[in-house]
Each structure stands twice: as structure tokens, then as C-alpha cells.
Amino acid sequence: MEQKLKEEEKKVGVIETWLRKHTLLFKGATRHPFILSIRDGSIDITSFKSWLAQDYLFVRAFVPFVASVLIKAWKESDESGDMEVILGGVASLEDEISWFKREASKWGISLSEVVPQQTNKKYCGLLESLMSPDVEYTVAITAFWVIEVVYQESFAHCIGEGSKTPQELKETCERWGSEAFAKYCQSLQNIVNRRLQKASDEELKKAEHTFLNVLEYEVDFWNMSRGNV
Ligand code: HMH
């Protein structure tokens, strides 16, 4: 029976199985009240500014994490194409950092004065722990994918049909909600599914644990932005 379930998992893809198993937590991260308030236009701009400032710091810590995934791909991947996908991610982060600077100045935020909140520090600490050479490529790329897909699913919801997102927030939502970003997440997801299909039970367990950990930290990050720490 256990064996049969495992075979089934492989056919539909491990990620799909996880998403079914952990729907509630995934929804918690991608349909958070912060996101819903952008979509319905009721967002408190103070929360948005707080998110923007904290996320800038997060993205700066995300760069070395993605670079560490690139190193793992080079050392461990069975497919040379993985490197191009990850390298594309690194490249677009340069643009993203410039965007944060422009957006912050629009809102009158001085980024050099932003102090990381505890929740943000904790999340950056998780990234740092995943940079360790002891963490397998499969586990690290799983984290990478879920970090990106949470923003993709969240912000796409804000520009979807019936959304009342304020004009001045639309560019932010487009950044992660766009078709192009969705495609990039799909490329990451394909890598993750391929790796998980070949993974040992031990590695699968670690990857699933990391997947859940990231989702919890994403919920905390939204909570922090709304001022509920
Ligand atoms: C907290 N999660 C957080 N910030 C981001 N910018 C992303 C995910 C997507 O890159």
C-alpha cells in the first residue's frame, strides 16, 4: 500500500501531492489578509511601506542564497539546463534591487535607515542555514522555488479578474504576478519535480520539511508587514 502510494506520487509529481496535502498552509501564505487587502483596495499604506522596506532587506539576503543554489547546481545537478534557469534568477535580482530603490524613493523611504525586524532576521537566518554545503541541491532548490512561487501566486491574485488594487500598487503586483514571472516559477518547479522524483526518502522528507518551513516564514513575513508581530 505504502509502495503504491509512492508510485502514484511520482506520476502526478511530488509538488502536486504536497500542495494537496498542505492546501491550508499554502493558502495561508498566498491568500494572506495583507494580499487580500491589496486586492480589495483596503490596504493601509503604512503596512505596504513597511513590507517594501523589510522586503528590500530580505531580497539582499536572498541574492547570496540564490548564488549558493547556483553553486550546488554546478556541483550536483544531473541536467546542465538548471544552471541557466538559476542564473536567470540571479540576473533578475539585480533589476529587482534597483526597482526596490526606485520604489522606496517614490514612497519617501530611506532604505539605508531601515532596521530589520525580528521576523525578517529569522527568515534571513533560514536562508543562511540553507546556504550550508551540507544542504543538498534538491532541498535548496525546493526552498528557492517555494519562496518565488508564494510571491507569484500572491501578487497574481492582486491583478486577477475583479481586483480593485490601487493604481500606485499595480507595478509591484506586476513584478511578481506577471506571466513572465509565472513561467520562471514553472521552470523552477520542473527542476524541483525532476529532482524529487529521483530523491531518496530521506531527502524527500527534508525537502518537504523545508517547503513547510518556508511557507510558515512567508505567513510570518506578511503578518510582520501588517504590524502583527
Ligand atoms: C519574503 N518572499 C519574500 N520576499 C520576496 N521578495 C520573495 C519571497 C520573492 O522573491
Side-chain angles (χ1 to χ4, degrees):
M1 189 63 201
E2 183 70 9
Q3 195 52 36
K4 221 172 164 188
L5 209 68
K6 281 268 152 60
E7 287 308 314
E8 200 52 41
E9 231 174 61
K10 282 179 184 170
K11 250 183 267 155
V12 297
V14 179
I15 287 178
E16 249 180 82
T17 311
W18 286 354
L19 291 175
R20 267 183 228 162
K21 208 167 129 192
H22 308 293
T23 311
L24 227 55
L25 182 55
F26 192 75
K27 280 264 150 71
T30 57
R31 294 292 182 268
H32 189 275
F34 179 85
I35 283 301
L36 300 179
S37 77
I38 293 179
R39 187 186 149 89
D40 70 15
S42 71
I43 177 128
D44 166 10
I45 282 305
T46 313
S47 302
F48 177 78
K49 284 164 78 173
S50 163
W51 165 79
L52 187 76
Q54 293 297 317
D55 210 43
Y56 168 73
L57 297 181
F58 176 84
V59 169
R60 290 194 74 91
F62 191 52
V63 173
F65 165 71
V66 179
S68 80
V69 181
L70 188 70
I71 294 170
K72 290 184 211 289
W74 173 64
K75 286 196 176 163
E76 295 175 51
S77 182
D78 49 317
E79 288 266 353
S80 63
D82 291 8
M83 188 177 269
E84 276 80 352
V85 176
I86 303 161
L87 188 58
V90 176
S92 63
L93 284 171
E94 188 192 6
D95 180 63
E96 195 159 302
I97 284 180
S98 308
W99 176 83
F100 268 103
K101 289 178 182 165
R102 268 184 280 123
E103 192 67 18
S105 98
K106 262 201 244 171
W107 293 100
I109 300 165
S110 166
L111 288 175
S112 59
E113 288 165 52
V114 179
V115 179
Q117 290 194 32
Q118 204 49 46
T119 303
N120 198 357
K121 277 197 212 163
K122 226 180 87 191
Y123 199 170
C124 293
L126 173 67
L127 291 181
E128 202 171 342
S129 71
L130 292 167
M131 289 183 219
S132 159
D134 298 340
V135 174
E136 298 88 342
Y137 172 54
T138 303
V139 174
I141 191 116
T142 299
F144 183 21
W145 161 74
V146 65
I147 291 169
E148 297 288 42
V149 87
V150 165
Y151 267 41
Q152 201 280 318
E153 294 258 346
S154 298
F155 285 110
H157 189 57
C158 299
I159 48 180
E161 212 174 289
S163 69
K164 299 192 191 91
T165 298
Q167 190 57 41
E168 64 272 29
L169 304 186
K170 279 196 179 146
E171 198 186 303
T172 300
C173 301
E174 275 293 335
R175 169 135 226 117
W176 291 279
S178 70
E179 270 307 311
F181 196 76
K183 258 182 134 172
Y184 159 66
C185 290
Q186 188 58 54
S187 308
L188 286 174
Q189 182 167 333
N190 294 342
I191 297 176
V192 175
N193 263 331
R194 190 195 79 232
R195 293 294 302 188
L196 291 173
Q197 213 163 39
K198 298 175 185 166
S200 65
D201 284 354
E202 176 76 18
E203 230 175 19
L204 267 174
K205 253 210 278 193
K206 278 196 231 170
E208 186 171 6
H209 179 260
T210 302
F211 165 78
L212 296 174
N213 232 338
V214 167
L215 289 178
E216 281 161 11
Y217 281 49
E218 286 289 338
V219 172
D220 291 346
F221 204 92
W222 296 131
N223 284 337
M224 170 193 72
S225 303
R226 300 186 88 214
N228 324 318
V229 249

